Structure formats: structure tokens, C-alpha cells
Amino acid sequence: MLSIDIPGFGSLELEHLVCDFTGTLSVDGSLLPGVGALLDELAASLKIHVVTADTFGRAHEELAGRPCTLTVLSGQNLDVQKERFVMALDKDRVVAVGNGANDRCMLRVSKLAIAVAEGEGCALDALLNADILVRSIHEGLSLLLNQKRIVATLKV
């Protein structure tokens, strides 16, 4: 669990990390270099969940052996499906990371929401529902390993 006290924002007791895969942890379906090691390190303090529509069909292969649970969604209303996933975990204990329009609802309901503008861009709806915007998934995951960065960004 990660405990972070942010003046003016509140106290966070985070138990779950919920990440999108396509465009967040990966570009063109390939896990970005160095992301696996960051997930391994974060698994010591957070339960990691990857929730994705898996546009490129490579999430299982790319995440094999990583300390995370993978949920591949299908059908319509992916944004609502991701929101329900977060709600089932206890949204007040979730940090969510995503970049796409279908991430907007999970970002909106999570206690802490990080939007990523990696190689596939960041949808405006994702950005508008995030607490923090980062330029890369490496920056986003590193925030969770160096919590004072989150405090510096969000304190009022």
C-alpha cells in the first residue's frame, strides 16, 4: 500500500494500480522498454491490474511473467466497463493510469488519476479527468515510486 498525504488535496491510501495497456504501457502493442522493471518494483506496494481492449492483441504476450492481472475487455462502452472495474476494487484505493478516451471514466472515479501522453497521444477526455499529466509512462510510474513528486504537483 502507498500512503501519501497531500496538503489541500487529501490523504491517499492506495492499494491498487489500474493501467490501460494500449498507448499507456505500450506503443503499437509492444511493452515499452523499462516498463516491466517499473511494474516489478511497484508490485511490492500495489496490486497491479491491466485493463485493456488490447487493440493490437499482444497484451497477454507482452505482460507474460509480470506481477499483474490482465483483463481484456470487448464489446461496447469500454469506458464504462473500465469505470466498473475500478469501482469494484474500491475507487478510493485506486490510482489509475491511462491515455485514451475509453480511460476517461476510470480516471474520473479513481482517487488519483494520471494521464499519459506517450507515443500514441492522450485523448482530451482522458486529460480532463486526470489529476496529473505526464509525458511518458516512465514518468507516471516513477511518480508512484517517488511520492514527494506527487505531493509537489498536487499540494495547494
Side-chain angles (χ1 to χ4, degrees):
M1 180 175 302
L2 293 180
S3 298
I4 310 167
D5 186 37
I6 306 168
F9 186 86
S11 294
L12 305 177
E13 296 292 330
L14 302 172
E15 184 178 348
H16 302 277
L17 168 61
V18 178
C19 288
D20 171 53
F21 182 73
T22 305
T24 301
L25 298 176
S26 70
V27 171
D28 297 333
S30 296
L31 191 67
L32 289 160
V35 169
L38 290 168
L39 293 176
D40 292 346
E41 191 172 350
L42 283 167
S45 53
L46 293 168
K47 296 175 188 169
I48 302 173
H49 311 268
V50 178
V51 183
T52 180
D54 198 15
T55 303
F56 295 91
R58 300 192 54 203
H60 283 287
E61 174 186 349
E62 292 292 312
L63 292 170
R66 293 291 166 207
C68 62
T69 59
L70 174 62
T71 302
V72 178
L73 305 173
S74 62
Q76 298 184 10
N77 302 314
L78 299 170
D79 58 339
V80 175
Q81 291 182 55
K82 287 184 177 187
E83 176 183 33
R84 287 181 184 145
F85 186 92
V86 167
M87 297 294 280
L89 293 174
D90 182 359
K91 65 182 180 71
D92 291 331
R93 295 189 168 279
V94 172
V95 52
V97 183
N99 77 309
N102 68 17
D103 298 320
R104 65 185 169 192
C105 294
M106 77 168 186
L107 292 171
R108 180 177 42 83
V109 299
S110 296
K111 187 67 173 179
L112 179 64
I114 301 172
V116 177
E118 192 65 65
E120 295 176 13
C122 182
L124 182 58
D125 281 346
L127 175 60
L128 293 175
N129 285 288
D131 298 303
I132 299 173
L133 169 67
V134 293
R135 298 171 294 184
S136 73
I137 188 60
H138 300 90
E139 288 179 359
L141 297 178
S142 292
L143 288 175
L144 299 172
L145 294 168
N146 302 282
Q147 296 94 27
K148 289 201 183 265
R149 295 177 186 173
I150 295 171
V151 174
T153 299
L154 294 179
K155 69 180 176 182
V156 179

